[in-house]
Amino acid sequence: MKIKFIGTGSGLTSLKRYHSSFIVFAGNYNLLVDAGDGISRALLANYVPFKDINGILLSHLHPDHFSGLGALLVQMKLTNRENTLDIFVNQKVMGFVKKFVRQSYIFIEKMGFEINYKTFRDGKKTNVDKEFSFYSKQNSHLDKYKQYVTAGRLRFSCNSFLFEGNAKSFFYTGDIGTAKDLYLFEDYKFNSMITEISHVPADDIMDAFIQQKAKILVLTHISDENQDVIAGIYRRPEAIGKHNIVTAVDGDVIEIL
Ligand SMILES: [Zn+2]
Ligand SMILES: [Zn+2]
């Protein structure tokens, strides 16, 4: 199992990094994790043909993770895609995503290729392909917004994931809210931990990495303003003289141990 970073930026649009996204290559299946603003261009810039993506998984609906979905589907149609595409969405927001696509005048029945919407549920295992699956858990990234919804109903869903493929596994934090979210999969086995660095302090990230005995820590979701977080991580004695911490850049390919 390998991953390739398509974007390693934060929610702040940058000329140096596309918004946070990566592809998991597991066996014959290529899963794009998140499809934020500019994803189609980010894939082109990273030499990934649209047809090579077998599935898209959405962690949450913030624009830097979701708002490129419609545009990407249009690119797939315009480049005459024929192979089936899976779209994995949390059951809490699946209804909205389907509506968003249709209200963007993208009619899946006339795409020329099949689109399979696949619902995943909190705390459950989802099979992507033979020997490739993920567990998803709800994290606290969106909790701070709940105070603004005083009338009516708005669905909140933001997931962290544990991916498993060919006897390897890795923990991907997704966008998180507090340091507690760094331990959502502490009862699971993983050697690689991929974490966002925009919403948690450096020491909390390092503590979680060490306590959970992961072997490789990969940092992503990085803005220029996050340089102090990166510096804080490398300043820790556990990081000195080791090659176990990677600050990802767009296009990086990482082999999962
Ligand atoms: Zn984000
Ligand atoms: Zn977010």
Side-chain angles (χ1 to χ4, degrees), residues 1 26-28 130-132 164-169:
M1 191 161 51
N28 292 321
K130 284 192 301 275
E131 313 268 317
F132 182 29
E164 287 183 339
N166 298 12
K168 305 275 166 67
S169 59

Side-chain angles (χ1 to χ4, degrees), residues 187-234:
D187 297 332
Y188 295 69
K189 214 179 103 46
F190 56 88
N191 287 329
S192 307
M193 176 171 162
I194 300 170
T195 182
E196 67 111 323
I197 65 161
S198 297
H199 307 98
V200 264
D203 278 330
D204 289 342
I205 292 171
M206 274 309 271
D207 289 345
F209 172 58
I210 293 157
Q211 271 188 47
Q212 296 179 98
K213 299 188 170 62
K215 294 195 170 74
I216 289 190
L217 177 65
V218 185
L219 313 175
T220 186
H221 205 285
I222 301 160
S223 74
D224 293 345
E225 291 153 13
N226 293 143
Q227 292 313 312
D228 54 330
V229 180
I230 294 175
I233 287 170
Y234 284 100

Side-chain angles (χ1 to χ4, degrees), residues 104-218:
S104 303
Y105 312 109
I106 297 166
F107 301 102
I108 63 170
E109 54 274 38
K110 66 173 277 279
M111 293 297 275
F113 61 95
E114 211 171 303
I115 295 180
N116 287 331
Y117 285 111
K118 297 193 167 179
T119 301
F120 64 84
R121 290 182 162 74
D122 300 332
K124 293 279 187 319
K125 182 179 179 174
T126 302
N127 291 315
V128 178
D129 195 28
K130 284 192 301 275
E131 313 268 317
F132 182 29
S133 58
F134 64 85
Y135 292 88
S136 51
K137 289 195 182 185
Q138 210 55 229
N139 67 43
S140 66
H141 180 56
L142 303 175
D143 287 359
K144 58 183 179 286
Y145 302 118
K146 289 182 178 164
Q147 59 177 308
Y148 299 106
V149 184
T150 48
R153 199 159 91 112
L154 193 68
R155 287 170 173 253
F156 290 92
S157 177
C158 185
N159 287 98
S160 299
F161 301 97
L162 186 101
F163 291 92
E164 287 183 339
N166 298 12
K168 305 275 166 67
S169 59
F170 70 94
F171 168 39
Y172 172 52
T173 64
D175 281 16
I176 54 177
T178 66
K180 244 178 111 183
D181 295 328
L182 294 163
Y183 297 88
L184 279 170
F185 289 96
E186 63 181 345
D187 297 332
Y188 295 69
K189 214 179 103 46
F190 56 88
N191 287 329
S192 307
M193 176 171 162
I194 300 170
T195 182
E196 67 111 323
I197 65 161
S198 297
H199 307 98
V200 264
D203 278 330
D204 289 342
I205 292 171
M206 274 309 271
D207 289 345
F209 172 58
I210 293 157
Q211 271 188 47
Q212 296 179 98
K213 299 188 170 62
K215 294 195 170 74
I216 289 190
L217 177 65
V218 185

